[in-house]
């Protein structure tokens, strides 16, 4: 079956531009997560949705970062006025439920953002 | 606060030999523990998880991991390494209490299996 998809796969933005990154989770998955992975590091949590509700946004690094999932499926991560330190791979993950036997997260291929 | 330590940036092993990739964790309460593998230009692939029950868990591609509560460890193992196992491996933890859904990852261990 189809996995988590993300678009675009690569994005080059000039400093100060706004960008929008899209995530299509696995159909039926309730939970959706965004992570940021800097070069040579592990992914770091940004935000979490359960259906359309954003339950945790504690990892968003600044108010320039905004995420939404209006209909409980597709999600968009928006970064306003991009800065060079925003350059990273942005990973989206989804999981079926919060129940014990379905807590593993399935990751998309990521969007590599380069801010010049 | 939750955290994961992967003490080895790089592990080299000969094909056919057993491999171990180390992971220790810190979390409040009972942990949920995960291993993921990352191939170049691809996302993280889920290998296995420990939630509760048997300390030895088996996962994809012949990998297994042992949960050791007293040592707060969750080392990844495989009895016989393949060249195709060469990749970047991440250990991750989350707390078990309701609402603590996000994962905390280690910095990764690059495994190279030498033919």
């Amino acid at each position: 079956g189809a996995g988590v998809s993300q678009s675009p796969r690569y994005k080059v933005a000039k400093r100060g531009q706004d960008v929008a990154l899209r995530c299509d989770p696995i159909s039926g998955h309730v939970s959706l997560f965004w992570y940021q992975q800097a070069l040579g590091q592990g992914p770091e949590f940004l935000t979490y949705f359960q259906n359309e509700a954003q339950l945790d946004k504690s990892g968003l690094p600044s108010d320039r970062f905004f995420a939404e999932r209006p209909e409980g499926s597709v999600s968009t991560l928006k970064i306003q006025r991009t800065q060079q330190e925003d350059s990273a791979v942005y990973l989206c993950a989804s999981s079926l439920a919060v129940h014990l036997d379905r807590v593993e997260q399935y990751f998309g291929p990521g969007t590599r953002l380069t801010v010049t | 606060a939750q955290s994961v330590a992967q003490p080895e940036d790089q592990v080299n092993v000969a094909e056919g030999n057993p491999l171990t990739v180390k992971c220790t964790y810190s979390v409040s309460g009972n942990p949920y523990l995960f291993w993921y593998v990352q191939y170049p230009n691809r996302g993280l692939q889920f290998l296995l998880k420990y939630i509760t029950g048997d300390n030895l868990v088996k996962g994809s591609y012949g990998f297994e991991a042992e949960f050791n509560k007293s040592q707060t460890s969750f080392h990844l193992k495989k009895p016989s390494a393949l060249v195709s196992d060469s990749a970047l491996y991440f250990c991750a933890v989350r707390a078990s209490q309701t609402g603590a859904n996000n994962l905390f990852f280690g910095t990764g261990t690059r495994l190279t299996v030498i033919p």
Side-chain angles (χ1 to χ4, degrees):
Chain A
V4 178
S5 61
Q6 293 185 246
S7 61
R9 290 292 312 276
Y10 303 91
K11 177 69 177 178
V12 178
K14 292 188 188 303
R15 191 172 55 147
Q17 282 185 331
D18 297 348
V19 298
L21 312 180
R22 177 188 168 106
C23 172
D24 255 292
I26 295 172
S27 178
H29 276 199
V30 169
S31 299
L32 185 145
F33 303 81
W34 284 98
Y35 293 85
Q36 181 189 60
Q37 187 175 20
L39 192 63
Q41 300 296 316
E44 292 192 358
F45 170 75
L46 294 176
T47 188
Y48 158 62
F49 290 85
Q50 186 170 323
N51 296 306
E52 69 278 5
Q54 189 175 20
L55 298 185
D56 188 346
K57 53 183 181 179
S58 62
L60 296 176
S62 78
D63 58 7
R64 296 186 295 104
F65 287 70
F66 172 77
E68 60 184 3
R69 193 186 186 198
E71 297 179 358
S73 56
V74 170
S75 177
T76 304
L77 176 67
K78 298 179 179 178
I79 308 173
Q80 296 177 324
R81 304 181 304 281
T82 53
Q83 304 293 315
Q84 283 194 316
E85 61 262 29
D86 300 335
S87 296
V89 175
Y90 290 85
L91 297 170
C92 177
S94 68
S95 67
L96 182 60
V98 297
H99 303 297
L100 289 183
D101 59 346
R102 292 290 186 269
V103 295
E104 62 268 26
Q105 297 176 24
Y106 293 90
F107 283 79
T111 295
R112 182 177 297 277
L113 173 65
T114 303
V115 181
T116 60
Chain B
Q2 292 95 340
S3 66
V4 170
Q6 293 183 243
E8 302 156 317
D9 291 336
Q10 174 82 41
V11 169
N12 296 325
V13 64
E15 186 178 22
N17 281 3
L19 69 86
T20 299
V21 182
K22 295 179 181 177
C23 170
T24 58
Y25 67 89
S26 174
V27 70
S28 300
N30 295 320
Y32 294 168
L33 293 155
F34 305 82
W35 276 101
Y36 285 84
V37 59
Q38 188 172 40
Y39 295 99
N41 298 316
R42 295 177 66 178
L44 295 160
Q45 293 182 32
F46 169 72
L47 279 180
L48 52 79
K49 67 184 177 189
Y50 170 82
I51 302 298
T52 187
D54 288 341
N55 289 341
L56 184 66
V57 293
K58 295 185 183 298
S60 306
Y61 313 119
F63 284 94
E64 58 188 30
E66 185 164 14
F67 171 61
N68 187 316
K69 188 171 183 177
S70 63
Q71 297 186 3
T72 61
S73 67
F74 190 58
H75 301 329
L76 182 70
K77 301 185 180 195
K78 187 173 182 181
S80 178
L82 301 174
V83 172
S84 57
D85 293 331
S86 298
L88 188 56
Y89 290 79
F90 288 96
C91 181
V93 67
R94 58 160 276 195
S96 58
Q97 51 260 48
T98 302
N101 296 299
N102 56 290
L103 297 175
F104 290 83
F105 285 86
T107 52
T109 298
R110 185 164 300 281
L111 173 69
T112 300
V113 180
I114 303 162

